[in-house]
Amino acid sequence: MSDIPWDDLWPQIVIAMSTLLAAFLGFLFAGVNDARRDRRLAGRERATRDEERRAAALRARHEFQLATLLELQDAIQLMARLTGRAMHFDHMQARKGQYTQLPGGHSEDMHANGVDVIRLRNRLLDADLRADIQRFESASVDATLSPQTFEGLEGDALESAALARINTFGDEVSRIMDRLGTSLRAELEWRPSEAD
């Protein structure tokens, strides 16, 4: 052992230790980099899942609104028909000088339809459309709960009052159906965007 000079051995020890230290540091930094890469990958995967859930929820919301609008359109059309039938009944009764209540089945149909319209209206996200539907409901109620507007009228005056009532309500029907059509088209044309 004493034959090996320290001067020759020392550089080999330094090289061996440097190699060992470099290997250890390389292993350590590789582990740190792997952990960082794994965290970044997990973060991207989490962000992708969150985005997919958000997009699915947005699509479901639009599908729900579209289904609600389609169902509401049918319910509003039925409300218009039932109101028109009630107005015609009142007009025919007024011609006879009678002011009676609607036949039982018709009142029940109107009530059930009114409940459906309220239920569907409450599902709408658009506050302005909800207010427009509510105004239409009020116009329908006004048109059917006031047969006494014909009281004391006869002949041409009665016919004019009935026609005015029909025209006023017809304008409300046209207005609300146009408004519903606009909302339906907007839902049908909807496409997810970056802003959504």
Side-chain angles (χ1 to χ4, degrees):
M1 266 215 113
S2 54
D3 292 344
I4 301 176
W6 273 104
D7 289 342
D8 291 339
L9 191 57
W10 182 248
Q12 290 177 4
I13 291 172
V14 169
I15 291 174
M17 292 298 283
S18 297
T19 304
L20 187 59
L21 181 63
F24 176 73
L25 289 175
F27 178 75
L28 181 68
F29 287 136
V32 169
N33 284 338
D34 285 348
R36 285 183 181 163
R37 185 185 68 235
D38 290 347
R39 279 195 303 272
R40 283 192 305 269
L41 183 60
R44 281 195 295 266
E45 288 174 356
R46 189 172 30 257
T48 300
R49 282 191 309 272
D50 289 347
E51 178 60 28
E52 287 171 356
R53 275 194 295 269
R54 189 187 68 73
L58 195 55
R59 275 191 304 278
R61 186 185 92 184
H62 281 281
E63 289 169 7
F64 179 75
Q65 285 300 288
L66 180 60
T68 298
L69 286 167
L70 289 169
E71 198 174 340
L72 184 61
Q73 190 177 39
D74 291 342
I76 291 291
Q77 287 174 341
L78 179 59
M79 182 175 273
R81 282 194 307 274
L82 292 171
T83 301
R85 192 183 307 163
M87 290 167 53
H88 177 71
F89 177 81
D90 291 343
H91 180 208
M92 294 299 107
Q93 292 294 92
R95 280 184 172 175
K96 298 175 190 173
Q98 300 173 341
Y99 303 99
T100 61
Q101 292 184 338
L102 294 171
H106 190 70
S107 290
E108 291 168 9
D109 291 345
M110 289 181 74
H111 175 73
N113 173 253
V115 169
D116 285 344
V117 169
I118 290 169
R119 175 181 51 84
L120 294 167
R121 173 177 41 93
N122 287 331
R123 291 180 180 177
L124 295 173
L125 296 175
D126 183 343
D128 292 336
L129 181 56
R130 279 195 313 270
D132 285 345
I133 299 294
Q134 197 163 18
R135 277 192 292 276
F136 178 76
E137 290 172 68
S138 295
S140 176
V141 168
D142 290 345
T144 58
L145 290 182
S146 56
Q148 290 76 17
T149 56
F150 297 133
E151 243 178 302
L153 298 177
E154 294 178 2
D156 288 342
L158 173 63
E159 298 305 314
S160 293
L163 183 59
R165 202 166 155 203
I166 289 169
N167 287 337
T168 299
F169 186 69
D171 291 343
E172 286 297 315
V173 172
S174 294
R175 184 188 61 76
I176 198 62
M177 293 310 286
D178 287 345
R179 179 69 170 88
L180 275 171
T182 300
S183 294
L184 270 166
R185 284 186 296 280
E187 287 296 327
L188 287 169
E189 292 171 356
W190 176 82
R191 297 284 182 265
S193 67
E194 293 297 320
D196 292 330

Short mmCIF file of all heavy atoms in Angstrom, two decimals, residues 87 91 149-151 153-168:
data_model
loop_
_atom_site.label_atom_id
_atom_site.label_comp_id
_atom_site.label_asym_id
_atom_site.label_seq_id
_atom_site.Cartn_x
_atom_site.Cartn_y
_atom_site.Cartn_z
N MET A 87 -113.57 33.20 -25.03
CA MET A 87 -114.05 34.49 -25.55
C MET A 87 -115.25 34.27 -26.48
O MET A 87 -116.23 35.02 -26.44
CB MET A 87 -112.92 35.22 -26.28
CG MET A 87 -111.85 35.73 -25.33
SD MET A 87 -110.32 36.29 -26.15
CE MET A 87 -110.91 37.44 -27.35
N HIS A 91 -119.05 35.63 -25.95
CA HIS A 91 -119.69 36.39 -27.02
C HIS A 91 -121.06 35.78 -27.37
O HIS A 91 -122.06 36.50 -27.49
CB HIS A 91 -118.77 36.42 -28.24
CG HIS A 91 -119.32 37.18 -29.39
ND1 HIS A 91 -118.97 36.88 -30.68
CD2 HIS A 91 -120.18 38.22 -29.49
CE1 HIS A 91 -119.60 37.69 -31.51
NE2 HIS A 91 -120.34 38.52 -30.81
N THR A 149 -118.09 42.84 -19.89
CA THR A 149 -117.83 43.96 -20.80
C THR A 149 -118.89 44.01 -21.89
O THR A 149 -119.07 45.04 -22.53
CB THR A 149 -116.44 43.84 -21.47
OG1 THR A 149 -116.34 42.59 -22.13
CG2 THR A 149 -115.33 43.98 -20.46
N PHE A 150 -119.61 42.90 -22.09
CA PHE A 150 -120.68 42.86 -23.09
C PHE A 150 -122.03 43.27 -22.50
O PHE A 150 -123.00 43.42 -23.25
CB PHE A 150 -120.81 41.45 -23.67
CG PHE A 150 -119.59 40.98 -24.41
CD1 PHE A 150 -119.08 39.71 -24.19
CD2 PHE A 150 -118.96 41.78 -25.34
CE1 PHE A 150 -117.97 39.25 -24.88
CE2 PHE A 150 -117.84 41.34 -26.03
CZ PHE A 150 -117.34 40.07 -25.80
N GLU A 151 -122.09 43.42 -21.19
CA GLU A 151 -123.36 43.74 -20.53
C GLU A 151 -123.93 45.05 -21.07
O GLU A 151 -123.23 46.05 -21.18
CB GLU A 151 -123.17 43.86 -19.01
CG GLU A 151 -123.96 42.81 -18.27
CD GLU A 151 -123.76 42.88 -16.77
OE1 GLU A 151 -122.62 42.77 -16.33
OE2 GLU A 151 -124.78 43.03 -16.08
N LEU A 153 -124.80 45.69 -24.03
CA LEU A 153 -124.52 45.91 -25.45
C LEU A 153 -125.40 45.00 -26.29
O LEU A 153 -125.67 43.86 -25.93
CB LEU A 153 -123.05 45.63 -25.76
CG LEU A 153 -122.01 46.50 -25.06
CD1 LEU A 153 -120.61 46.04 -25.43
CD2 LEU A 153 -122.19 47.97 -25.41
N GLU A 154 -125.82 45.52 -27.43
CA GLU A 154 -126.63 44.73 -28.36
C GLU A 154 -126.21 45.05 -29.78
O GLU A 154 -125.58 46.07 -30.04
CB GLU A 154 -128.12 45.07 -28.19
CG GLU A 154 -128.69 44.68 -26.86
CD GLU A 154 -130.16 45.09 -26.73
OE1 GLU A 154 -130.71 45.64 -27.70
OE2 GLU A 154 -130.73 44.84 -25.68
N GLY A 155 -126.56 44.17 -30.68
CA GLY A 155 -126.36 44.41 -32.10
C GLY A 155 -124.92 44.73 -32.47
O GLY A 155 -123.98 44.04 -32.08
N ASP A 156 -124.78 45.82 -33.23
CA ASP A 156 -123.46 46.20 -33.74
C ASP A 156 -122.48 46.56 -32.62
O ASP A 156 -121.28 46.28 -32.72
CB ASP A 156 -123.57 47.39 -34.70
CG ASP A 156 -124.21 46.99 -36.02
OD1 ASP A 156 -124.24 45.78 -36.33
OD2 ASP A 156 -124.68 47.90 -36.75
N ALA A 157 -122.96 47.16 -31.55
CA ALA A 157 -122.09 47.53 -30.43
C ALA A 157 -121.51 46.28 -29.78
O ALA A 157 -120.31 46.22 -29.43
CB ALA A 157 -122.85 48.36 -29.39
N LEU A 158 -122.33 45.23 -29.63
CA LEU A 158 -121.88 43.97 -29.06
C LEU A 158 -120.85 43.32 -29.97
O LEU A 158 -119.79 42.87 -29.52
CB LEU A 158 -123.05 43.02 -28.83
CG LEU A 158 -122.71 41.60 -28.39
CD1 LEU A 158 -122.03 41.61 -27.04
CD2 LEU A 158 -123.97 40.75 -28.35
N GLU A 159 -121.14 43.29 -31.27
CA GLU A 159 -120.23 42.67 -32.23
C GLU A 159 -118.90 43.44 -32.29
O GLU A 159 -117.83 42.84 -32.37
CB GLU A 159 -120.87 42.59 -33.62
CG GLU A 159 -122.14 41.74 -33.68
CD GLU A 159 -121.94 40.33 -33.16
OE1 GLU A 159 -120.94 39.67 -33.51
OE2 GLU A 159 -122.80 39.86 -32.38
N SER A 160 -118.97 44.76 -32.23
CA SER A 160 -117.74 45.58 -32.25
C SER A 160 -116.90 45.33 -31.01
O SER A 160 -115.66 45.23 -31.09
CB SER A 160 -118.08 47.07 -32.35
OG SER A 160 -118.66 47.36 -33.58
N ALA A 161 -117.55 45.24 -29.85
CA ALA A 161 -116.82 44.99 -28.61
C ALA A 161 -116.17 43.61 -28.65
O ALA A 161 -115.00 43.45 -28.23
CB ALA A 161 -117.76 45.11 -27.41
N ALA A 162 -116.88 42.62 -29.17
CA ALA A 162 -116.33 41.26 -29.26
C ALA A 162 -115.16 41.23 -30.22
O ALA A 162 -114.12 40.62 -29.93
CB ALA A 162 -117.42 40.28 -29.69
N LEU A 163 -115.30 41.90 -31.36
CA LEU A 163 -114.22 41.93 -32.34
C LEU A 163 -112.99 42.66 -31.78
O LEU A 163 -111.85 42.20 -31.97
CB LEU A 163 -114.70 42.61 -33.63
CG LEU A 163 -113.69 42.64 -34.78
CD1 LEU A 163 -113.28 41.22 -35.18
CD2 LEU A 163 -114.27 43.39 -35.97
N ALA A 164 -113.20 43.75 -31.07
CA ALA A 164 -112.09 44.49 -30.47
C ALA A 164 -111.35 43.61 -29.46
O ALA A 164 -110.11 43.61 -29.40
CB ALA A 164 -112.60 45.77 -29.81
N ARG A 165 -112.10 42.88 -28.68
CA ARG A 165 -111.51 41.98 -27.68
C ARG A 165 -110.69 40.88 -28.35
O ARG A 165 -109.58 40.58 -27.92
CB ARG A 165 -112.65 41.39 -26.86
CG ARG A 165 -112.27 40.89 -25.53
CD ARG A 165 -113.55 40.68 -24.76
NE ARG A 165 -113.31 39.69 -23.74
CZ ARG A 165 -114.23 38.97 -23.18
NH1 ARG A 165 -115.49 39.09 -23.53
NH2 ARG A 165 -113.93 38.11 -22.25
N ILE A 166 -111.25 40.32 -29.41
CA ILE A 166 -110.54 39.27 -30.17
C ILE A 166 -109.26 39.84 -30.79
O ILE A 166 -108.20 39.21 -30.71
CB ILE A 166 -111.46 38.65 -31.24
CG1 ILE A 166 -112.54 37.81 -30.57
CG2 ILE A 166 -110.67 37.84 -32.26
CD1 ILE A 166 -113.65 37.36 -31.50
N ASN A 167 -109.34 41.02 -31.38
CA ASN A 167 -108.17 41.64 -32.02
C ASN A 167 -107.08 41.96 -30.99
O ASN A 167 -105.90 41.74 -31.24
CB ASN A 167 -108.56 42.89 -32.78
CG ASN A 167 -109.31 42.56 -34.06
OD1 ASN A 167 -109.18 41.46 -34.59
ND2 ASN A 167 -110.10 43.50 -34.54
N THR A 168 -107.49 42.49 -29.86
CA THR A 168 -106.52 42.82 -28.81
C THR A 168 -105.79 41.57 -28.34
O THR A 168 -104.56 41.55 -28.21
CB THR A 168 -107.22 43.50 -27.62
OG1 THR A 168 -107.83 44.70 -28.08
CG2 THR A 168 -106.26 43.82 -26.50
#
